[in-house]
Amino acid sequence: RKEVEQDPGPFNVPEGATVAFNCTYSNSASQSFFWYRQDCRKEPKLLMSVYSSGNEDGRFTAQLNRASQYISLLIRDSKLSDSATYLCVVNLNDYKLSFGAGTTVTVRA
Amino acid sequence: DTGVSQDPRHKITKRGQNVTFRCDPISEHNRLYWYRQTLGQGPEFLTYFQNEAQLEKSRLLSDRFSAERPKGSFSTLEIQRTEQGDSAMYLCASRQPLAGTYNEQFFGPGTRLTVL
């Protein structure tokens, strides 16, 4: 079983729509959680950390459910510039990040 | 540009040849990581350094792979006797010394390797 699993999508949504997707992780001892964004043929960049209480950063909301071992990301009022692959990332220990395969989001005009 | 840099950005080689990639981390970052990413997958951890010490290696890192960080600054990743299965994007990331729970890794642009 993969350490982090994501729905690959693609999620095709119109501008202004809300899109949400989840990922699940297998190791209950995982310490911290992140969403990274990766544009086509570019490096991953941190979008936001995910906290147990849930957190927002502008139009982006992340939630963590430790009991069910899943993480979610919601994007409100989608923009064309939100088109990217969103990588769910779990930090197992001090050094190792485990990445999901990514969820592709395409926002159309 | 004060971000993580990698060289070369692209490398095409023939099967059986050796290749070496370089990573220059952000200057005050003492931790340096190597990942490999294939099409449709997320990055997979290969190895990491704290200063010049290589502290962990993934099982993905076969004996054909070697990484060094001799002076605790830049790092090199060498692949000997390349195979077609080595074709991937090789990403380097760095991180500042652990401060509380903040542990963002900053990625370089990657070296895309194609083995013919």
Side-chain angles (χ1 to χ4, degrees):
Chain A
R1 182 182 173 189
K2 289 185 178 180
E3 291 175 344
V4 181
E5 299 209 48
Q6 293 184 248
D7 180 349
F11 288 78
N12 294 306
V13 300
E15 271 188 296
T18 295
V19 59
F21 40 89
N22 298 333
C23 85
T24 58
Y25 60 95
S26 60
N27 192 328
S28 60
S30 300
Q31 298 179 357
S32 49
F33 309 88
F34 309 90
W35 284 101
Y36 273 69
R37 170 191 169 129
Q38 187 170 30
D39 294 304
C40 188
R41 304 182 78 84
K42 299 284 190 180
E43 72 272 21
K45 293 185 179 179
L46 179 67
L47 178 66
M48 58 196 301
S49 301
V50 186
Y51 304 117
S52 296
S53 56
N55 49 297
E56 279 191 19
D57 184 359
R59 298 180 293 105
F60 297 83
T61 300
Q63 296 276 355
L64 167 63
N65 185 316
R66 283 189 182 271
S68 300
Q69 296 182 203
Y70 79 81
I71 306 154
S72 65
L73 181 67
L74 182 146
I75 307 173
R76 287 186 302 278
D77 188 23
S78 300
K79 311 292 185 190
L80 294 175
S81 58
D82 295 334
S83 296
T85 296
Y86 291 86
L87 299 166
C88 178
V89 186
V90 173
N91 191 190
L92 296 176
N93 49 39
D94 187 38
Y95 61 87
K96 183 181 177 185
L97 294 182
S98 288
F99 287 77
T103 296
T104 299
V105 173
T106 302
V107 181
R108 62 182 188 275
Chain B
D1 184 358
T2 56
V4 179
S5 62
Q6 292 187 245
D7 183 69
R9 296 290 303 276
H10 303 274
K11 178 70 177 179
I12 300 174
T13 190
K14 292 183 179 179
R15 188 176 54 187
Q17 297 295 306
N18 299 344
V19 294
T20 301
F21 311 141
R22 176 179 170 126
C23 170
D24 286 89
I26 295 171
S27 60
E28 65 270 23
H29 288 188
N30 70 338
R31 298 192 178 206
L32 185 148
Y33 306 81
W34 285 99
Y35 292 84
R36 180 174 69 188
Q37 186 174 23
T38 54
L39 193 63
Q41 300 299 315
E44 296 173 291
F45 171 81
L46 292 179
T47 188
Y48 106 103
F49 292 84
Q50 181 168 306
N51 299 312
E52 66 277 7
Q54 187 175 18
L55 298 185
E56 187 69 25
K57 292 194 293 186
S58 163
R59 285 170 291 180
L60 293 174
L61 214 65
S62 76
D63 56 5
R64 296 184 298 106
F65 288 71
S66 61
E68 294 183 341
R69 195 183 182 197
K71 297 181 181 178
S73 56
F74 73 91
S75 176
T76 58
L77 177 68
E78 180 183 16
I79 309 174
Q80 296 182 325
R81 304 181 305 280
T82 52
E83 302 172 356
Q84 288 183 325
D86 297 332
S87 295
M89 174 76 87
Y90 289 85
L91 292 160
C92 175
S94 71
R95 200 195 84 185
Q96 61 186 345
L98 189 62
T101 58
Y102 179 74
N103 54 0
E104 178 181 355
Q105 294 185 17
F106 294 84
F107 283 82
T111 294
R112 185 171 296 280
L113 173 66
T114 302
V115 181
L116 302 176

